[in-house]
Amino acid sequence: MSPRAMMSSAGKAAAWSAMGSWFGLAGSMISLVVLARLLDPTDFGIYGFVLVTLAIPEAIACNSLNESLIQRADLSRGHSNSVFGLSLFFAVIFFTAIIFGAPYIETFFNQDGLAPYLWVMSAGLFVGALTAVPAAHLQRRLAFKQIAMVDIIGTVTAAIVGVALALWLKNAWALLIMELSRRVVRMLAFSWMDRWLPSLKFSLGNLKDLAAFNIASVGIRLVTVLELNIPRAAVGIFLGPAALGMFNLALRVQDQAGAALISPFGAIALPFASKSQSNRELLHKMLRGAITVATFIAYPAFLGAVAIAPLAVPIVFGEKWVGAVAAIQISLLIGIRKPTATFDAGVLKGVGRPDLVLKIALLCLLPLAALPLAANQSLEAVMWLTWFQKMLGWVLGALAVQKVVGFQIRQQVFAGASALLASIIMALAVFFASPRLPAEYSDITKLLMMIGLGGIVYPLVLFIVSPKTTYRRIRALILLFSGKKEQAIRTMVASTSPDAPPAADAPEVTHAAKP
């Protein structure tokens, strides 16, 4: 595929991925707000215990083996069947273990009545095994239009199911069945779109072809799962289900914001990097342009949300969630590193170096040794420890990308420097203006005024410090929203960002070996 054709494909992929994520965010946020008002933090905590228990089984059986199908250059039906066979095998093993082990897990977490939730949710392992291969096929083909449509339908279906059950049952079953319904929709839709029928016809050679990448991919996923769920378990054990519910809400707010603001661009990193392994200049342009546009949106969203959180959380989620305000603010600060960290992991996998992602993830587990101490202090102490861990991972990931593909760490930093500066000034303006608003104004009026102030300060500062880059970012977004995907991606990568430092000699590039 020619560089121009690849850029065109990347533009279409990013556009459709963005559309799916933004529609998904709207549906997910609406359902989250409604569910948070209908259910208690304890209900979210019970669901959190279920997520912790199933995290490792789902990582192995559903969410990691299929990445080898995206990365591999020459793919046969036997390769796809081997991934399905392995996924199904692990689903059976873990399902059986949970069926018999649920009472012991219930005792370990000291949560009476947890076993039935585990039994039902473990059936989702088979749904994930059936989804893995067709989802990978569609992503490999950059068929993000179809993926976006499925995600929209799945999100809407899940929201309807979740809200209806919350009104009826008023307990954690609403959250569990909502998630299962989303997964079933994805499985059925992806299977129909890909026209792939499950089969166990594969050879030992097919397994060996994918073994190296699969081992690294599973390792990365497991470490990532541990990184997320060890803090969850610690919060639940030391601070109780209500605190775990608040912890989960804080992470979900950040995750959904990241899914809408960053993932549309990050989703193309792995397949695009895989296809452009031999053209590093093209890969650098894509990274620079995507990071520049992603930070333009993400930085003000995350920092602005931090500034308005004390007023916004009780208005949006209800007074019973006031205790989660500080945790949500710290979680949003964690999101600041996502615009570059998301691309780093995708690029390293795409050029055949998932081993580096695994090594970085393993190193980032070390700070979790302090979790018992932090959990004995407060929920906020756990969140700050998580912040430190994520920042460490970002630095190590940026250094790895610099070594492997020659994309310098300072280029990653300076690609969004003006957006970060403008966002900090905006957040400070909103923070200091908040206590000076007239006391007689309603909380909603104050919130709208704070958002309006941020909406004025941010673009004003941007146009002062970096007018050319700001114009190009806005133009790329306008083209993206108007459906002109190819022009949008060309605008993103047209030239070096004025934010970037002067060019320097590139470090020695370590070319990845083919898997």
Side-chain angles (χ1 to χ4, degrees):
M1 185 181 293
S2 67
R4 183 181 179 86
M6 291 175 65
M7 295 304 297
S8 176
S9 297
K12 293 178 180 179
W16 282 110
S17 182
M19 181 179 295
S21 294
W22 291 329
F23 273 101
L25 174 72
S28 296
M29 284 304 297
I30 291 172
S31 63
L32 177 61
V33 169
V34 175
L35 290 171
R37 287 184 167 276
L38 293 174
L39 304 176
D40 293 327
T42 301
D43 295 319
F44 281 82
I46 292 172
Y47 181 55
F49 284 119
V50 175
L51 295 180
V52 169
T53 304
L54 284 163
I56 290 179
E58 288 181 348
I60 297 176
C62 310
N63 299 325
S64 56
L65 296 172
N66 63 342
E67 287 188 345
S68 60
L69 303 181
I70 304 171
Q71 193 274 341
R72 186 169 179 82
D74 54 325
L75 187 68
S76 69
R77 183 171 180 81
H79 292 132
S80 298
N81 292 343
S82 70
V83 168
F84 170 68
L86 279 177
S87 298
L88 186 62
F89 170 77
F90 285 119
V92 171
I93 295 297
F94 286 121
F95 177 78
T96 304
I98 291 173
I99 290 296
F100 290 102
Y104 302 100
I105 298 170
E106 182 180 276
T107 302
F108 175 77
F109 285 123
N110 194 27
Q111 294 296 314
D112 294 336
L114 184 62
Y117 292 99
L118 296 174
W119 290 332
V120 173
M121 194 64 181
S122 62
L125 294 171
F126 297 103
V127 178
L130 289 167
T131 306
V133 172
H137 286 169
L138 291 173
Q139 189 174 350
R140 175 185 175 87
R141 298 197 299 265
L142 299 178
F144 285 93
K145 178 179 180 180
Q146 291 91 327
I147 294 173
M149 295 305 298
V150 172
D151 285 341
I152 292 170
I153 295 171
T155 298
V156 172
T157 301
I160 294 172
V161 170
V163 172
L165 290 178
L167 288 168
W168 179 30
L169 301 175
K170 299 186 185 304
N171 58 34
W173 280 108
L175 298 170
L176 188 146
I177 298 176
M178 177 181 74
E179 176 59 20
L180 283 178
S181 66
R182 185 188 69 84
R183 297 184 186 185
V184 170
V185 169
R186 284 171 56 86
M187 178 196 70
L188 295 175
F190 284 158
S191 299
W192 179 78
M193 289 178 176
D194 187 47
R195 300 294 196 271
W196 176 82
L197 296 177
S199 173
L200 296 177
K201 293 182 179 180
F202 59 89
S203 66
L204 184 60
N206 296 139
L207 288 172
K208 290 181 177 179
D209 288 341
L210 305 179
F213 191 93
N214 277 338
I215 290 172
S217 185
V218 170
I220 294 167
R221 185 71 67 171
L222 284 177
V223 174
T224 302
V225 163
L226 290 173
E227 183 184 11
L228 176 62
N229 287 280
I230 289 176
R232 275 179 172 163
V235 170
I237 292 171
F238 287 96
L239 299 174
L244 178 56
M246 293 183 182
F247 182 78
N248 283 335
L249 180 69
L251 293 181
R252 188 169 177 183
V253 169
Q254 179 219 130
D255 288 342
Q256 291 194 341
L261 303 173
I262 301 161
S263 294
F265 304 98
I268 68 170
L270 193 159
F272 189 87
S274 178
K275 293 177 182 295
S276 61
Q277 293 185 52
S278 60
N279 191 338
R280 296 298 165 84
E281 181 181 357
L282 178 65
L283 179 58
H284 289 189
K285 285 185 177 181
M286 188 280 292
L287 281 171
R288 188 163 51 244
I291 291 173
T292 298
V293 175
T295 55
F296 175 69
I297 306 171
Y299 284 163
F302 281 118
L303 290 177
V306 170
I308 65 173
L311 193 59
V313 169
I315 292 175
V316 175
F317 298 112
E319 292 292 337
K320 56 190 172 184
W321 292 96
V322 169
V325 169
I328 290 173
Q329 288 178 305
I330 300 169
S331 182
L332 290 167
L333 289 175
I334 294 173
I336 293 298
R337 38 58 86 177
K338 278 194 170 185
T340 50
T342 300
F343 295 110
D344 290 343
V347 168
L348 290 173
K349 291 179 183 178
V351 298
R353 295 302 306 271
D355 58 303
L356 289 179
V357 182
L358 176 58
K359 291 175 183 177
I360 292 169
L362 285 170
L363 285 173
C364 289
L365 286 179
L366 295 179
L368 295 183
L371 261 177
L373 179 62
N376 268 317
Q377 298 299 315
S378 64
L379 177 60
E380 290 74 22
V382 175
M383 293 302 304
W384 279 119
L385 179 62
T386 304
W387 176 88
F388 171 78
Q389 179 201 31
K390 297 295 185 182
M391 292 301 114
L392 174 64
W394 173 80
V395 172
L396 295 175
L399 289 172
V401 168
Q402 176 175 284
K403 178 181 179 181
V404 173
V405 302
F407 190 64
Q408 299 179 46
I409 188 171
R410 62 176 182 170
Q411 288 182 283
Q412 298 189 44
V413 173
F414 280 95
S418 61
L420 179 60
L421 175 62
S423 298
I424 292 173
I425 294 174
M426 174 205 69
L428 290 174
V430 171
F431 176 79
F432 286 112
S434 176
R436 292 169 175 78
L437 295 175
E440 62 270 18
Y441 287 1
S442 68
D443 287 344
I444 294 179
T445 301
K446 292 179 181 178
L447 180 61
L448 293 175
M449 292 179 68
M450 292 164 67
I451 294 173
L453 175 63
I456 294 172
V457 172
Y458 176 66
L460 181 62
V461 175
L462 268 182
F463 274 111
I464 293 173
V465 300
S466 185
K468 292 182 179 179
T469 304
T470 302
Y471 172 77
R472 196 170 70 250
R473 287 165 174 161
I474 294 174
R475 178 168 171 75
L477 290 174
I478 293 173
L479 290 170
L480 190 64
F481 280 116
S482 62
K484 299 176 181 178
K485 301 128 186 139
E486 295 86 350
Q487 290 178 255
I489 199 73
R490 285 200 297 270
T491 301
M492 286 167 55
V493 302
S495 62
T496 303
S497 168
D499 291 345
D505 293 336
E508 182 179 353
V509 176
T510 303
H511 292 282
K514 292 184 179 180

